[in-house]
Amino acid sequence: MGILRFVLLVSLSLVLFGLKTTVSQPQQQAQVPCLFIFGDSLVDNGNNNRLLSLARANYRPYGIDFPQGTTGRFTNGRTYVDALAQILGFRNYIPPFSRIRGQAILRGANFASGAAGIRDETGDNLGAHTSMNQQVELYTSAVQQMLRYFRGDTNELQRYLSRCIFYSGMGSNDYLNNYFMPDFYSTSTNFNDKTFAQSLINNYTQQLTRLYQFGARKVIVTGVGQIGCIPYQLARYNNRNNSTGRCNDKINNAIVVFNSQVKKLVDRLNKGQLKGAKFVYLDSYKSTYDLAVNGAIYGFEVVDKGCCGVGRNNGQITCLPLQTPCPDRTKYLFWDAFHPTETANILLAKSNFNSRAYAYPINIQELANI
């Protein structure tokens, strides 16, 4: 590790330890008027509850540490965007779009759906879900709803939306539940790592442009984390391709290709392709790598096993209904085979908010202040 990187990690850990892993009380006034969320199970907070899908988390012990109990969040407590909303000063968590009624839409909505991807067919192996294209369409319908509260004045609505933050975290399932599932999908036959990433970027560009056309001006776009190192992959490859228990480098290498293209996309969009918009790229690969490699600095004692699950690394089968999880979730980086714990989510949200360690070209606080 280089000296500069070491100093950065130590400085960041001191900041995080000073703040603990709790989010302070929300401010009286939120820093932005609304927050709109697009993504997959990492940030889904209940949209999949009524869908015929295996990608659901509306049963105990999911939500065991969440104030409202089991809600459909795929972790033990708060998700990344829950923590982010609190840091931004929202008094309440951003609700799932499936449950929003009336003027509550003016504070934002969460459109995320477990198993969703940039490609429409991604996640079909798990059942029903709401793809990114569908999430964008739901958002456009929400804009039409909001227009009523602005008496049909599109300019006023545009000014309002231009102050809001839009969060988009997509791509993980396009690899886990598509490209690297050759028995179910043909993408690995039709594409290689580079051409598949480019195909995703082409689709993603259209989706983000559609959000822009319907008011998005402050947009957070996340890269994909180090998913070759999640408990599911460690359990799956431990006794096959990888007897040492190391990460699945084949998946990680493909993710690196995709993430580099996402960052380049952010650069293009910031250089005038979408006039008046500001995009921020979050390097989820680097941030999740740092949490795993330097787990002890952040208080983690277990970085390769799920707190709740079945089989090797608690990653062969995800957390089952009424299963007893590990007693101290704060010591675990992963909650189950795929998803981080609340503690990890909060650490990541804080680091992205007021630091450029993983945020490019500016951090979230700077984006909010534009």
Side-chain angles (χ1 to χ4, degrees), residues 201-256:
I201 292 299
N202 292 341
N203 292 336
Y204 209 12
T205 302
Q206 295 175 1
Q207 293 157 354
L208 295 174
T209 300
R210 183 74 169 160
L211 293 181
Y212 171 84
Q213 291 168 342
F214 279 79
R217 293 297 181 271
K218 300 180 182 183
V219 186
I220 299 167
V221 181
T222 73
V224 174
Q226 202 180 22
I227 57 176
C229 301
I230 60 176
Y232 172 74
Q233 290 298 333
L234 294 178
R236 194 174 174 209
Y237 286 88
N238 209 13
N239 288 342
R240 290 170 53 193
N241 305 11
N242 195 342
S243 60
T244 63
R246 291 172 52 197
C247 301
N248 184 340
D249 291 334
K250 184 177 181 181
I251 291 181
N252 282 343
N253 290 339
I255 295 303
V256 169

Side-chain angles (χ1 to χ4, degrees), residues 155-349:
N155 290 330
E156 278 300 310
L157 176 57
Q158 173 58 56
R159 277 191 283 272
Y160 181 78
L161 292 174
S162 69
R163 295 160 49 211
C164 303
I165 284 183
F166 292 73
Y167 171 96
S168 181
M170 277 290 182
S172 296
N173 285 309
D174 292 294
Y175 287 91
L176 286 177
N177 289 297
N178 192 327
Y179 188 63
F180 285 105
M181 196 170 278
D183 292 340
F184 202 96
Y185 301 95
S186 62
T187 44
S188 60
T189 301
N190 299 332
F191 299 95
N192 58 38
D193 289 359
K194 184 177 180 180
T195 57
F196 184 64
Q198 189 56 58
S199 175
L200 291 177
I201 292 299
N202 292 341
N203 292 336
Y204 209 12
T205 302
Q206 295 175 1
Q207 293 157 354
L208 295 174
T209 300
R210 183 74 169 160
L211 293 181
Y212 171 84
Q213 291 168 342
F214 279 79
R217 293 297 181 271
K218 300 180 182 183
V219 186
I220 299 167
V221 181
T222 73
V224 174
Q226 202 180 22
I227 57 176
C229 301
I230 60 176
Y232 172 74
Q233 290 298 333
L234 294 178
R236 194 174 174 209
Y237 286 88
N238 209 13
N239 288 342
R240 290 170 53 193
N241 305 11
N242 195 342
S243 60
T244 63
R246 291 172 52 197
C247 301
N248 184 340
D249 291 334
K250 184 177 181 181
I251 291 181
N252 282 343
N253 290 339
I255 295 303
V256 169
V257 174
F258 172 73
N259 285 346
S260 67
Q261 292 299 317
V262 176
K263 189 175 182 180
K264 290 177 182 177
L265 172 61
V266 165
D267 270 334
R268 290 198 301 273
L269 298 177
N270 279 336
K271 291 178 179 177
Q273 190 167 321
L274 297 180
K275 186 178 179 181
K278 187 65 177 181
F279 285 75
V280 169
Y281 170 73
L282 299 184
D283 192 341
S284 300
Y285 190 97
K286 180 180 174 185
S287 60
T288 55
Y289 171 84
D290 285 347
L291 281 185
V293 172
N294 303 285
I297 295 178
Y298 304 107
F300 296 119
E301 295 178 1
V302 183
V303 298
D304 60 348
K305 298 178 177 64
C307 169
C308 186
V310 178
R312 286 192 304 274
N313 301 81
N314 278 348
Q316 289 180 288
I317 301 176
T318 196
C319 196
L320 299 176
L322 303 180
Q323 185 178 354
T324 301
C326 63
D328 189 351
R329 273 75 70 180
T330 65
K331 302 299 183 184
Y332 279 70
L333 175 58
F334 291 100
W335 160 251
D336 63 11
F338 301 94
H339 307 98
T341 57
E342 176 186 67
T343 299
N345 285 327
I346 293 172
L347 288 170
L348 291 169

